[in-house]
Amino acid sequence: MTTENKHAVQTQPRPETPQAVYMPEVDIMEDGENLTLLADLPGAEQQEVDLSVENGVLTIDAKPSLQAPEGYSLAGQEWDYGTFHRTFQLSDSVQVDKISANVRNGTLTVSIPKREEVRTRKIEIGK
Amino acid sequence: MLELTTWPRSAWSIFDELESIQESMNRALGAERPVAAQRGERYPLLNVWTSPEGLMVEADMPGVDPADVDVSVMGDQLTISGKVNPTPKEENVVLHRQERPHGEFSRALKLPFRVDNNQVSAAFRNGILRVKLPRSEEEKPRKIAVKAA
């Protein structure tokens, strides 16, 4: 066994930022036509969120530029500002080029359309 | 912040039993559990900031529609309540994963001083609620000049 650890999980803050990196909480839903992924990124503006797909892996990155309120000092803390990072493996049955997304109230919504052949089709039963 | 998993209940307690009975009753009635019960923690999580002028309470509540939040101050108690991420009810929707909080919530915080009710303001931006609570004038510390006799 070597001491080199190439597969260390990145849980430490990245060198370029002193903030902690959090894994956003997500909901994943599916209906007949789409997969919908909702990810909580508190504090993030739309332009502070990066979404990319490469080799079937969907990556979410967000770096909210939250500022502590001016003139105040922290008296009690239950949560902390930070950045967000999480990846998801997509299946072959989705249309990567048709993915759309938006950010609202600190939540990212990603719409992932399914391929035609895997969509729910209603079949009329002839009389 | 943002734990990925909910914490397991530590020790067995009669309250767990009672809660699970309550829960199955609620389920039968189609009601969702309060958010704090699902997560085994308080919701929303708060940061409290102070200044000579008063307090600023900062709540982490991404995904919440500001129209679904109530902020109220009664005496020296601040209450934040509302609902977050109602579970989709459509029949053809399959929920593969649900890590985000969902349901109703209410959290009260006792303030260390009386606030000037008319001066309380709340702003919601990108999933973060900031409530400004100015200390009422009569409770502000006053400097008393000491005169030489």
Side-chain angles (χ1 to χ4, degrees):
Chain A
M1 214 176 113
T2 61
T3 50
E4 197 185 7
N5 188 356
K6 281 182 185 160
H7 305 287
V9 180
Q10 191 183 29
T11 52
Q12 293 300 310
R14 295 166 187 192
E16 72 266 28
T17 154
Q19 288 187 309
V21 181
Y22 293 107
M23 194 188 266
E25 291 178 309
V26 300
D27 289 349
I28 300 173
M29 286 167 278
E30 182 179 351
D31 63 19
E33 287 81 45
N34 290 291
L35 278 159
T36 306
L37 187 150
L38 301 162
D40 281 345
L41 308 166
E45 303 270 357
Q46 181 140 337
Q47 65 271 19
E48 292 166 343
V49 179
D50 270 325
L51 188 68
S52 64
V53 182
E54 202 185 329
N55 296 327
V57 176
L58 179 86
T59 303
I60 299 170
D61 268 300
K63 289 187 174 136
S65 56
L66 270 178
Q67 298 292 324
E70 222 170 289
Y72 287 89
S73 56
L74 196 56
Q77 185 176 28
E78 291 179 343
W79 63 281
D80 199 0
Y81 304 160
T83 64
F84 300 92
H85 174 80
R86 192 162 179 182
T87 58
F88 298 88
Q89 182 72 50
L90 297 175
S91 91
D92 293 336
S93 55
V94 300
Q95 306 185 68
V96 170
D97 52 330
K98 297 220 170 111
I99 292 175
S100 61
N102 71 75
V103 178
R104 193 159 177 266
N105 294 331
T107 296
L108 168 74
T109 302
V110 188
S111 247
I112 309 165
K114 300 202 261 186
R115 283 194 195 284
E116 290 296 335
E117 56 269 30
V118 295
R119 291 189 174 196
T120 310
R121 213 170 316 163
K122 211 161 163 65
I123 295 149
E124 292 293 323
I125 299 169
K127 283 185 185 168
Chain B
M1 193 173 91
L2 297 170
E3 296 294 341
L4 190 60
T5 54
T6 49
W7 295 101
R9 295 285 177 109
S10 48
W12 181 86
S13 124
I14 184 71
F15 294 107
D16 291 355
E17 284 294 293
L18 290 173
E19 267 176 36
S20 83
I21 294 166
Q22 178 75 57
E23 227 173 83
S24 39
M25 275 163 53
N26 286 350
R27 255 203 308 277
L29 297 168
E32 283 199 274
R33 301 168 65 194
V35 181
Q38 297 154 19
R39 297 165 74 83
E41 65 179 31
R42 293 165 253 189
Y43 185 90
L45 292 182
L46 306 175
N47 289 340
V48 179
W49 300 82
T50 58
S51 85
E53 298 301 311
L55 285 186
M56 153 96 77
V57 173
E58 187 180 44
D60 178 36
M61 40 207 303
V64 175
D65 187 331
D68 290 336
V69 184
D70 272 322
V71 178
S72 64
V73 179
M74 269 272 263
D76 61 353
Q77 183 167 290
L78 165 74
T79 306
I80 301 171
S81 58
K83 61 174 193 277
V84 54
N85 307 324
T87 306
K89 293 266 191 291
E90 294 93 336
E91 252 176 40
N92 65 335
V93 174
V94 183
L95 202 54
H96 290 292
R97 200 175 280 216
Q98 191 171 44
E99 298 167 356
R100 301 162 69 231
H102 55 98
E104 296 193 350
F105 62 85
S106 179
R107 187 157 181 204
L109 191 70
K110 201 167 156 50
L111 305 169
F113 50 77
R114 293 187 82 81
V115 303
D116 192 343
N117 273 15
N118 299 321
Q119 299 295 315
V120 175
S121 62
F124 188 86
R125 192 173 160 82
N126 299 327
I128 292 167
L129 174 75
R130 281 177 170 176
V131 186
K132 249 184 169 165
L133 303 143
R135 198 185 264 247
S136 68
E137 281 303 320
E138 57 266 35
E139 291 219 11
K140 276 190 186 162
R142 232 174 312 160
K143 260 210 169 126
I144 295 149
V146 180
K147 286 183 203 156

